[in-house]
Amino acid sequence: MENPNNTSNFIRNIIVDDLKEGRVDSIVTRFPPEPNGYLHIGHAKSICLNFELAREFKGRVHLRFDDTNPLKEDTEYVESIKEDVQWLGFEWDGLYFASDYFEEMYKRAILLIEKGKAYVDDLSADEIRQMRGTLTEPGQNSPYRDRGVEENLDLFERMRGGEFQNGEKVLRAKIDMSSPNINLRDPVIYRIAHATHHNTGDKWCIYPMYAFAHPIEDAIEGVTHSICTLEFEDQRPLYDWVIEQCEMDSTPHQYEFARLNLTNTVMSKRKLKLLVDEGTVDGWDDPRMPTISGLRRRGYTPESIRTFCREIGVTKGSGVIDSKYLDHFLREDLKLKAPRTMGILKPLKVVITNYPEGQVEWLDAEINPENLEMGVRQIPFSREIYIEQDDFMENPPNKYFRLFPGNEVRLKHAYFIKCHDFVKDENGNVVEIHCTYDPETKSGSGFTGRKVKGTIHWVEASHAVPAEFRLYEPLILDEENDEDESSSFLDRINANSLVKEHGFVEPNMKEVKGQDKFQFFRHGYFNVDPKDLSDDHIVFNLIVSLKSSFELPKK
Ligand code: ATP
Ligand code: MG
């Protein structure tokens, strides 16, 4: 089989075997999000796995909305999920909604009742929980467990008819209250919820539970390999029970892998929604969010996310992946693609006193020295330019090679300049530097007369285009991933996760479009914010800085 990326994993091996042994003729996978929030990078791992396997083995892959809980679901989420999957570079072979199968699921529930395999229970949710037993103690049978088939059929129909309040009754599978696997202790398979569903409206007031609905959805669609995360491992016997007892025509199999956890972030829709609802971030697509839409707006590329998901592998062992690993693949992806440019984040004016007033010359600068095919851009140079405030010090420490009184530096793509004076405001801040330039030292002229140790970047003042730079740090402090269910991560929000600077960029940046990506010399990779870009305001989001102390894990 073709395996362009030369990466394998245990699920792929199972598929190779199943095809070789003729257990399946072709494979069908699915990505089954619940539309109760926006997708995050953890979902991307599952998307890449399912879509790439189907593509590699020329099978089918379904995008299926697991929309069985009307209380949390919304069409806004459905639309965002479709957009995110497509943006990642994938097309589904079929688009499905679990809610389209409600009638079929209802029929299968009736079948269970008729077979004596399901019953209507009047116990409350609390009572059911109390009687479920523990890992070491068996559960107790509900007093309603031995209701007759006719009574159960009648009650279930009346549940559907809306006769009862939320929580008054449930339908439970009749399996084994003393099973060592708690999931098999008569799990609830239908509950009452008087709520409007985003797809079926008010047609239903009973809804199937995940554990019952999911296997049926897979079987209806002819899914062969139903891939999910490890927390569903203990539910696999129930999955198989439902397929068998509901007499489904096809037999999907469930396989589990470890979910992705990343450092310095939270990865659960519930927690991400809390950040949005509390106003901690500016929506689901805030560039600090680990959502696909946040990563997109920040500037991560689909290629870098796909490579990341492939390289971290698919295993049964859980762990926390360093988010710098993703940054590495972003740099790799943009290295040859992103135009280089110069931008000043914190401007300080420099006057070149021996440069003729009113004169402007246009200098050549490579668009990408690592990819010369991208050509050359022209940048203006004149008597007044901006440099970074950090690139000048009145009293520099040792080994400071940038501008200070008496020192000479190279201006990238231009000339050597030497500082001979500076101006302070009434608060003692340096507000202007005076330099002279040496016309002999023009970049590209082959000048070898003398060397300087520092090269700094700059932008010519009269043509400079104002721009806002948004600099990001991790949203959540602490390397530890927050696995517990408390909301304590809200106490670990990084107050410096967003810093805004107002500076200048080269004149050719006037025409940028949302999502254009650049490498700003000495600063890093930036993305044009598509949301806050307007005719007179350019916003650049820092994607990643240029270098990282991070070392790739050994493979
Ligand atoms: P969350 O806890 O973030 O709400 P979820 O599992 O409830 O996630 P679903 O919409 O049910 O979200 O997930 C759709 C698919 O994505 C499932 O198959 C699920 O196993 C997978 N998935 C969710 N989170 C991760 C993750 N962190 N790593 C890998 N796969 C994930
Ligand atoms: Mg969920």
Side-chain angles (χ1 to χ4, degrees):
M1 275 305 158
E2 162 206 22
N3 181 13
N5 310 303
N6 195 27
T7 51
S8 199
N9 59 63
F10 75 96
I11 293 176
R12 184 177 177 277
N13 294 341
I14 288 168
I15 291 175
V16 170
D17 256 24
D18 285 349
L19 288 166
K20 199 167 77 192
E21 304 292 330
R23 280 188 288 270
V24 294
D25 298 329
S26 66
I27 65 161
V28 180
T29 61
R30 87 285 174 265
F31 174 65
E34 185 183 355
N36 61 350
Y38 281 61
L39 297 182
H40 52 61
I41 178 109
H43 294 113
K45 178 173 173 181
S46 175
I47 294 169
C48 290
L49 181 62
N50 281 291
F51 280 78
E52 288 179 355
L53 284 171
R55 187 183 284 171
E56 180 186 353
F57 294 101
K58 307 211 171 10
R60 286 172 59 84
V61 52
H62 297 176
L63 174 61
R64 180 208 310 145
F65 289 98
D66 205 341
D67 55 349
T68 54
N69 180 0
L71 302 172
K72 293 188 173 165
E73 295 157 7
D74 199 284
T75 41
E76 176 195 346
Y77 301 135
V78 170
E79 292 312 312
S80 75
I81 290 170
K82 289 201 281 196
E83 185 185 353
D84 288 350
V85 172
Q86 284 175 322
W87 177 76
L88 279 172
F90 299 113
E91 260 319 315
W92 44 87
D93 299 300
L95 179 67
Y96 300 97
F97 290 86
S99 52
D100 286 340
Y101 310 144
F102 281 167
E103 196 64 53
E104 180 70 28
M105 291 174 190
Y106 181 76
K107 283 193 195 136
R108 300 287 163 169
I110 300 265
L111 176 65
L112 288 183
I113 296 175
E114 286 168 348
K115 291 164 75 172
K117 298 283 182 187
Y119 60 98
V120 173
D121 199 343
D122 297 2
L123 293 181
S124 69
D126 271 349
E127 289 165 325
I128 290 177
R129 204 173 306 122
Q130 279 157 21
M131 292 174 70
R132 196 167 45 196
T134 63
L135 286 174
T136 50
E137 277 173 50
Q140 300 159 42
N141 286 355
S142 161
Y144 303 97
R145 194 173 199 262
D146 292 320
R147 268 181 168 145
V149 169
E150 290 311 316
E151 188 186 356
N152 279 319
L153 286 174
D154 174 59
L155 286 173
F156 190 49
E157 199 181 318
R158 285 160 59 196
M159 279 169 67
R160 177 181 183 170
E163 250 182 68
F164 308 111
Q165 298 302 307
N166 293 353
E168 222 181 304
K169 291 193 176 3
V170 292
L171 184 71
R172 296 177 74 177
K174 192 172 184 175
I175 310 181
D176 179 4
M177 286 306 290
S178 57
S179 169
N181 183 336
I182 294 181
N183 292 290
L184 295 179
R185 294 183 189 168
D186 292 8
V188 173
I189 57 176
Y190 262 93
R191 65 188 177 120
I192 300 170
H194 292 275
T196 304
H197 186 281
H198 78 99
N199 189 22
T200 56
D202 293 320
K203 182 166 178 216
W204 293 89
C205 64
I206 54 170
Y207 291 93
M209 304 299 286
Y210 176 88
F212 174 72
H214 207 83
I216 295 179
E217 295 159 23
D218 284 343
I220 290 173
E221 293 175 16
V223 167
T224 55
H225 296 77
S226 176
I227 303 167
C228 62
T229 37
L230 271 181
E231 66 273 21
F232 295 104
E233 196 167 27
D234 291 344
Q235 288 204 20
R236 191 177 346 121
L238 178 55
Y239 183 98
D240 293 340
W241 185 93
V242 171
I243 296 289
E244 192 191 332
Q245 296 299 333
C246 290
E247 301 175 20
M248 302 308 294
D249 290 336
S250 81
T251 310
H253 289 281
Q254 177 183 301
Y255 301 93
E256 311 88 16
F257 69 99
R259 57 170 54 223
L260 168 66
N261 294 308
L262 273 187
T263 55
N264 294 100
T265 189
V266 286
M267 197 113 68
S268 129
K269 280 179 281 185
R270 190 182 60 78
K271 290 177 185 171
L272 296 173
K273 187 165 188 308
L274 204 59
L275 292 171
V276 174
D277 293 344
E278 299 261 316
T280 311
V281 294
D282 166 35
W284 286 95
D285 65 350
D286 186 298
R288 292 165 292 178
M289 291 280 269
T291 51
I292 307 288
S293 49
L295 293 167
R296 173 168 62 233
R297 188 170 163 200
R298 175 83 168 258
Y300 287 90
T301 58
E303 291 82 356
S304 62
I305 296 174
R306 290 200 304 263
T307 312
F308 169 76
C309 290
R310 201 176 293 133
E311 292 293 320
I312 56 178
V314 178
T315 65
K316 284 248 178 201
S318 50
V320 182
I321 306 276
D322 196 324
S323 58
K324 294 191 184 106
Y325 201 31
L326 175 60
D327 296 347
H328 164 78
F329 292 113
L330 190 274
R331 289 189 193 97
E332 286 292 300
D333 184 31
L334 289 189
K335 194 166 63 182
L336 302 181
K337 290 185 195 165
R340 307 294 164 87
T341 188
M342 295 195 286
I344 300 297
L345 276 53
K346 290 189 216 173
L348 175 59
K349 185 170 269 188
V350 174
V351 180
I352 299 162
T353 51
N354 62 339
Y355 198 88
E357 250 173 277
Q359 179 176 316
V360 177
E361 66 181 301
W362 290 80
L363 305 170
D364 285 345
E366 308 108 346
I367 291 175
N368 188 334
E370 292 186 65
N371 182 3
L372 295 175
E373 282 176 15
M374 289 177 77
V376 168
R377 68 188 193 276
Q378 262 79 45
I379 49 178
F381 183 78
S382 80
R383 186 179 157 90
E384 293 193 356
I385 63 174
Y386 294 113
I387 64 167
E388 296 290 350
Q389 288 169 15
D390 290 350
D391 283 340
F392 173 82
M393 285 188 94
E394 184 183 350
N395 299 301
N398 275 343
K399 306 231 166 132
Y400 183 89
F401 300 121
R402 292 168 276 162
L403 269 186
F404 54 88
N407 193 41
E408 187 173 47
V409 298
R410 177 197 306 274
L411 292 177
K412 181 74 178 168
H413 301 303
Y415 299 94
F416 290 7
I417 57 169
K418 187 172 189 172
C419 173
H420 55 82
D421 200 6
F422 56 90
V423 181
K424 284 186 174 173
D425 65 11
E426 63 271 22
N427 300 317
N429 299 314
V430 175
V431 291
E432 194 173 289
I433 318 261
H434 293 168
C435 293
T436 49
Y437 87 117
D438 178 354
E440 300 289 304
T441 59
K442 186 170 177 176
S443 174
S445 69
F447 174 79
T448 53
R450 62 184 183 280
K451 289 208 161 85
V452 288
K453 283 201 166 137
T455 299
I456 64 174
H457 61 281
W458 54 279
V459 169
E460 194 272 333
S462 67
H463 291 76
V465 176
E468 177 180 327
F469 297 88
R470 296 185 183 161
L471 310 178
Y472 299 103
E473 280 186 15
L475 186 58
I476 314 274
L477 292 169
D478 196 347
E479 294 292 322
E480 229 167 88
N481 213 270
D482 183 30
E483 274 297 322
D484 70 58
E485 282 302 298
S486 73
S487 57
S488 66
F489 71 98
L490 289 177
D491 305 332
R492 294 193 279 114
I493 302 290
N494 179 358
N496 297 322
S497 63
L498 169 60
V499 172
K500 295 180 179 179
E501 300 288 0
H502 295 270
F504 296 101
V505 293
E506 296 178 17
N508 54 34
M509 302 289 268
K510 221 178 282 177
E511 308 296 326
V512 293
K513 296 189 297 298
Q515 296 295 98
D516 283 353
K517 293 165 183 62
F518 298 92
Q519 189 200 104
F520 280 95
F521 184 65
R522 292 172 72 210
H523 284 304
Y525 291 99
F526 284 78
N527 185 48
V528 178
D529 190 284
K531 235 179 169 175
D532 293 339
L533 174 72
S534 66
D535 285 346
D536 54 4
H537 190 55
I538 307 178
V539 177
F540 291 98
N541 293 321
L542 173 66
I543 319 171
V544 295
S545 61
L546 284 182
K547 280 204 196 78
S548 154
S549 53
F550 177 69
E551 284 194 22
L552 288 181
K554 300 248 178 339
K555 285 230 272 185

